[in-house]
Amino acid sequence: MTFGHPYFLLLGLLLPLLAWLKGRRGSPPAFLYSSVKLVAGLAQARRSQAGNILGALRWLTLALFIIAIAQPRLSKSTTEVKASGIDIVVALDLSGSMRTPDYQEYGQGVSRFDMAKSVLKKFVQERPDDRIGLVVFAAQAFIASPMTLDHDYLLDNIERLEIGTINSDATAIGDGITTALNRLRDLKSKSKIIVLMTDGANNSGKIDPITATEAAQALGVKIYTIGLGNKEIVQRMGLPPGFLPDEDTLIKIAQMTGGQFYRGDNSEKLRTIYDEIDKMEKTEAVVNKYTQFKELFPWFLTTGAGLLLLEIILGQTIFRRLP
């Protein structure tokens, strides 16, 4: 057990002094009677212990109150949190074309969206020391998770994502980059990066992707771009070119900010992409320690208040004294 304000315990040293001062006797109190016969029955009476009991309750109450204001507490756990100095925002496309099942896993077709979620969760799990945020975009862009070191919370938010949560009829890449930038612009981290995952071309939103990239360039934010979708399977399915990423724009975005473009056209390559990003974005970790406390002062305060109430009740009832 530790104390938040241990210096208040010094007040406890005053209790013996106060008890000694209170216990000093002056002239013994006396009643005057006109005849000894009036008090003949008191000869066998014994001294009452009521005063001692009430006094003990008072001193115990004061001691408990002193301990309470010293803030006693138990250390429940000490957690070390490592912060690498890298802040990452993942901007994930949630447009309708992300339902296209042109990835293969265990011999079965898997949608771009499910594949992207799978590799993203693995990436988050392998970077426990980074603050990571999540932005999703389709016709509009929204924050799915703020920047956080609580990766369990982040993984839960990734798991809850579904196509159709926002208007999935279009792809606003520029708005997605801008929303991600707004999560990073005021942070003082050593390195700030955006991982942009999309399977289409910008056809919606208020901000052009290159304009948003120029802002990222000015803020020193590096953007890694990942193009999702398998060209051969898309052609075999008879889908239009709009179901494939605008690689020229994605390459330009990465080059302007010092990042890199990746073509994630199959599941193995997509997993390798995140491994490569993981290797390139490394820095020394800063360790912060956090201790959780269980506060005990309410117990001492409540017990002291209960004893004080008991003293008052006893003093006014069975231990009542003559005025």
Side-chain angles (χ1 to χ4, degrees):
M1 185 172 67
T2 59
F3 293 90
H5 308 289
Y7 43 84
F8 279 116
L9 294 175
L10 295 175
L11 294 174
L13 299 177
L14 297 177
L15 294 182
L17 177 61
L18 293 174
W20 178 75
L21 291 174
K22 185 174 177 58
R24 292 186 64 185
R25 294 179 177 275
S27 301
F31 285 102
L32 298 178
Y33 295 92
S34 59
S35 173
V36 176
K37 292 181 179 181
L38 296 175
V39 292
L42 299 177
Q44 303 300 320
R46 289 183 292 180
R47 182 181 179 86
S48 173
Q49 296 298 314
N52 292 336
I53 294 173
L54 294 176
L57 288 175
R58 176 64 57 85
W59 297 120
L60 183 56
T61 298
L62 289 174
L64 290 172
F65 284 166
I66 289 173
I67 294 173
I69 63 175
Q71 196 180 355
R73 56 196 183 181
L74 293 176
S75 297
K76 294 177 63 179
S77 64
T78 299
T79 304
E80 290 188 354
V81 179
K82 295 181 180 179
S84 69
I86 298 178
D87 287 326
I88 302 171
V89 177
V90 177
L92 177 62
D93 191 341
L94 284 190
S95 60
S97 58
M98 289 286 285
R99 294 192 182 99
T100 307
D102 54 352
Y103 285 89
Q104 291 290 318
E105 282 280 272
Y106 308 109
Q108 295 184 341
V110 178
S111 73
R112 298 169 179 178
F113 174 67
D114 289 335
M115 197 68 227
K117 281 208 308 183
S118 176
V119 296
L120 177 55
K121 287 191 288 187
K122 182 173 180 289
F123 177 71
V124 170
Q125 291 167 343
E126 292 180 350
R127 297 192 69 93
D129 303 336
D130 298 322
R131 281 191 298 187
I132 302 178
L134 178 62
V135 166
V136 294
F137 63 93
Q140 303 87 23
F142 294 94
I143 300 165
S145 174
M147 304 295 295
T148 181
L149 280 167
D150 185 350
H151 289 179
D152 289 336
Y153 167 77
L154 178 59
L155 290 169
D156 287 342
N157 281 340
I158 294 173
E159 188 60 36
R160 282 195 289 266
L161 292 177
E162 294 181 1
I163 303 292
T165 304
I166 55 179
N167 185 350
S168 60
D169 295 335
T171 306
I173 295 175
D175 286 6
I177 294 174
T178 302
T179 304
L181 275 178
N182 287 334
R183 301 300 95 201
L184 295 169
R185 61 187 304 168
D186 296 325
L187 301 179
K188 306 298 181 184
S189 46
K190 295 179 181 179
S191 179
K192 295 181 278 191
I193 71 172
I194 294 172
V195 179
L196 173 67
M197 303 176 69
T198 183
D199 71 340
N202 186 76
N203 55 20
S204 182
K206 299 178 181 179
I207 301 174
D208 179 75
I210 301 304
T211 301
T213 303
E214 289 171 349
Q217 194 177 30
L219 293 170
V221 176
K222 193 184 299 184
I223 303 178
Y224 291 92
T225 56
I226 302 174
L228 302 172
N230 188 301
K231 186 175 182 180
E232 293 181 4
I233 296 179
V234 167
Q235 291 175 343
R236 196 184 310 153
M237 294 173 69
L239 297 173
F243 276 76
L244 289 171
D246 178 3
E247 293 189 1
D248 291 339
T249 299
L250 295 180
I251 291 170
K252 188 172 183 179
I253 289 171
Q255 289 177 342
M256 287 176 63
T257 60
Q260 192 165 331
F261 165 73
Y262 298 94
R263 184 180 292 108
D265 53 7
N266 61 66
S267 57
E268 292 78 13
K269 188 181 292 186
L270 193 55
R271 291 191 179 92
T272 303
I273 289 169
Y274 272 104
D275 290 338
E276 290 183 19
I277 296 174
D278 185 64
K279 291 175 184 177
M280 286 189 290
E281 296 297 336
K282 293 287 187 184
T283 188
E284 295 181 0
V286 177
V287 178
N288 297 311
K289 289 186 177 181
Y290 298 91
T291 303
Q292 288 185 315
F293 294 105
K294 180 180 180 180
E295 299 291 347
L296 300 178
F297 76 89
W299 294 97
F300 288 91
L301 191 63
T302 303
T303 303
L307 291 178
L308 180 60
L309 181 61
L310 178 62
E311 180 201 350
I312 294 172
I313 293 173
L314 291 177
Q316 297 298 318
T317 55
I318 61 176
F319 291 160
R320 188 168 185 178
R321 292 169 292 183
L322 290 174

